[in-house]
Amino acid sequence: HPDFFVNESEEKQQEILQLSTLNNKAFQTLSNPDQLLAYVLAAKGELEEGEKYELPQDFLMEMMEVNEAFMELEFDADEQQLAQVKQTVEELEDSLNAE
């Protein structure tokens, strides 16, 4: 923390201040899921700085269908349908992890 270096030279205080700022920014990025996702995508070369990312339309449709299936299960519990939805979710997860 910069307060621990008040008796150091001006140059050293500036260095510590810069490191403290970097640490704070890193903490904010890592603790915010949206910022973390953007950081990881940029680090992997999948996202240009400042670029907005959008999920593929087919993925969004699949997620909407899964959500609808879960909502239907809330009102009409059916073990067979639940097993089918779970299998669909697992297949989607496997597909995403493979990519």
Side-chain angles (χ1 to χ4, degrees):
H1 191 274
D3 289 347
F4 297 128
F5 296 88
V6 293
N7 294 329
E8 296 290 332
S9 68
E10 183 67 29
E11 184 178 293
K12 182 70 171 178
Q13 287 181 18
Q14 285 299 320
E15 178 187 350
I16 297 301
L17 183 60
Q18 288 174 344
L19 288 172
S20 178
T21 302
L22 181 64
N23 284 337
N24 287 333
K25 185 176 180 182
F27 177 78
Q28 290 173 354
T29 298
L30 295 173
S31 63
N32 181 311
D34 291 332
Q35 289 180 10
L36 178 59
L37 177 61
Y39 174 80
V40 170
L41 289 174
K44 296 286 186 179
E46 299 294 328
L47 180 69
E48 300 288 328
E49 188 172 333
E51 176 186 4
K52 299 290 183 187
Y53 57 91
E54 291 186 23
L55 295 172
Q57 197 66 29
D58 58 334
F59 175 78
L60 294 174
M61 291 300 291
E62 287 174 336
M63 291 301 101
M64 192 167 66
E65 290 171 4
V66 168
N67 284 333
E68 287 175 0
F70 278 124
M71 288 190 317
E72 288 175 11
L73 286 170
E74 283 184 58
F75 299 110
D76 185 21
D78 177 0
E79 290 297 320
Q80 187 177 13
Q81 189 177 2
L82 177 60
Q84 186 178 9
V85 172
K86 283 183 178 180
Q87 181 180 355
T88 300
V89 170
E90 288 173 3
E91 289 171 359
L92 288 169
E93 285 179 344
D94 291 343
S95 172
L96 291 171
N97 288 330
E99 288 181 27

